[in-house]
Amino acid sequence: QVQLVESGGGVVQPGRSLRLSCAASGFTFSMYGMHWVRQAPGKGLEWVAVIRNDGNDKYYEDSVKGRFTISRDSSKNTVYLEMTSLRAEDTAVYYCAREDDETSSVGDYYYYIDVWGKGTTVIVSS
Amino acid sequence: DIQMTQSPSSLSASVGDRITITCRTDQSIDTYFNWYQQKPGKAPKLLIYATYNLQRGVPARFSGRDSGTDFILTISSLQPEDFATYYCQQSYRNIRFIFGQGTRVEMK
């Protein structure tokens, strides 16, 4: 079955770095874009980043631009989130998610998240 | 910067009620909305994509539409399993994805 399993979360001091991984299985990884979405304790969802299926197009939420890097390794069916200069406000559950798409009759693309992992917790604290 | 507001932040309703949740954006060009349901301690679940389209396996009581700068999720007859938090997600030019603040649907 389609599955996403995140790992790499933990407790880290402010200013330090952490790398999250997400192992995908049950689908053709190279055909799908992948997102990271986070949720601070008791708060709503916040989109973090997306990497499209070819790995060339990457986009980020403004507050993580320049600090976080999303990447993928199709030989390992894995997507990564490298997080540097971590701040207390980065504390959250980080979800890995698969992006599916649909094309309209006039060729417009519509993207949406259709599969989510269970999440990995990152706590930034001294 | 795009300004998007989801309302209400919470609502109380009974089984069988019709409820609507609205997300208003100041950027409706090159934009569409997806809708998700989240239950406590669980990952979100896709309900509606590209504003109008029902995800496979989602009951037909869920529907999405737009009205100018408003994007609306409707549950036509609330069921016990629908008590949850709902999020809209705006996609702008397919390069920015903004979640709404969430609407918690509680039992009256």
Side-chain angles (χ1 to χ4, degrees), chain A residues 35 37 39 43-48 50 52 59-62 95 98-100 102 109-114 116-118, chain B residues 1 32 34 36 38 41-46 48-50 53 55-56 87 89 91 93-101:
Chain A
H35 292 250
V37 176
Q39 188 166 33
K43 301 296 185 183
L45 301 171
E46 182 180 36
W47 175 74
V48 174
V50 61
R52 293 275 139 78
Y59 303 102
Y60 299 90
E61 195 268 331
D62 285 347
Y95 293 103
R98 186 181 81 170
E99 176 185 83
D100 202 353
E102 186 164 287
Y109 277 87
Y110 298 100
Y111 294 100
Y112 50 93
I113 291 173
D114 68 334
W116 299 72
K118 289 183 163 44
Chain B
D1 205 18
Y32 56 90
N34 305 318
Y36 301 89
Q38 188 180 33
K42 300 290 189 184
K45 172 188 170 184
L46 176 67
I48 300 286
Y49 65 93
N53 300 283
Q55 171 68 346
R56 285 185 306 276
Y87 293 93
Q89 179 199 37
S91 171
R93 293 184 175 174
N94 291 329
I95 63 172
R96 288 200 65 193
F97 298 85
I98 306 159
F99 282 96
Q101 297 84 350

Side-chain angles (χ1 to χ4, degrees), chain A residues 14-29:
Chain A
R16 302 298 290 263
S17 300
L18 202 61
R19 187 176 83 156
L20 305 182
S21 301
C22 170
S25 59
F27 63 98
T28 305
F29 180 72

